[in-house]
Amino acid sequence: QVQLVESGGGLVQAGGSLRLSCAASARTFSSYTMGWFRQAPGKEREFVAQISWSGGSITYADSVKGRFTISRDNAKNTVSLQMNSLKPEDTAVYYCAAQYRRVTITTSEYIYWGQGTQVTVSS
């Protein structure tokens, strides 16, 4: 069982930055692929970024490429998402997710999910 707790969401103006963090309870955190997803009102949850268990494989959604950076610290059991040049269309609830070993960007393949943190970008 893995528990995930996100933090760092909030309200920011367009062009601003936020850093989301996710703390994981897993004893073998370094064995999990970690992903960030988001869900805007009335829309399906969508992939944002993933980082493999070793950090050697990173993937971003086209909509955030060049603006967001995912990173992990296996010693601290945390994964972060640095979000720069935020746009109003980035407004959503952001979720941290974990999948054992498998590198994937498919929402349904992630087993463990956090409760989410709200990010609101004003124009």
Side-chain angles (χ1 to χ4, degrees):
Q1 187 73 13
V2 178
Q3 293 185 330
L4 303 171
V5 179
E6 303 96 336
S7 61
L11 173 64
V12 63
Q13 289 188 333
S17 298
L18 279 175
R19 185 177 180 87
L20 305 182
S21 293
C22 174
S25 66
R27 289 190 300 170
T28 56
F29 175 76
S30 61
S31 297
Y32 286 83
T33 292
M34 300 299 298
W36 284 98
F37 295 78
R38 66 187 182 186
Q39 188 167 17
K43 295 187 177 182
E44 292 188 354
R45 193 169 297 187
E46 65 175 6
F47 167 76
V48 175
Q50 70 83 24
I51 184 167
S52 65
W53 56 275
S54 67
S57 172
I58 292 176
T59 309
Y60 296 99
D62 288 343
S63 58
V64 306
K65 203 171 293 184
R67 300 188 298 122
F68 291 11
T69 302
I70 189 171
S71 61
R72 68 188 296 158
D73 186 337
N74 287 342
K76 296 182 178 179
N77 281 19
T78 59
V79 60
S80 299
L81 186 68
Q82 177 67 41
M83 306 186 295
N84 299 328
S85 303
L86 283 161
K87 305 175 181 179
E89 51 264 43
D90 294 319
T91 295
V93 176
Y94 283 70
Y95 297 90
C96 173
Q99 164 63 13
Y100 186 73
R101 290 285 184 176
R102 185 187 187 95
V103 177
T104 178
I105 65 171
T106 303
T107 308
S108 61
E109 293 184 352
Y110 280 81
I111 297 175
Y112 302 105
W113 293 84
Q115 292 300 307
T117 185
Q118 176 70 47
V119 171
T120 303
V121 184
S122 63
S123 57

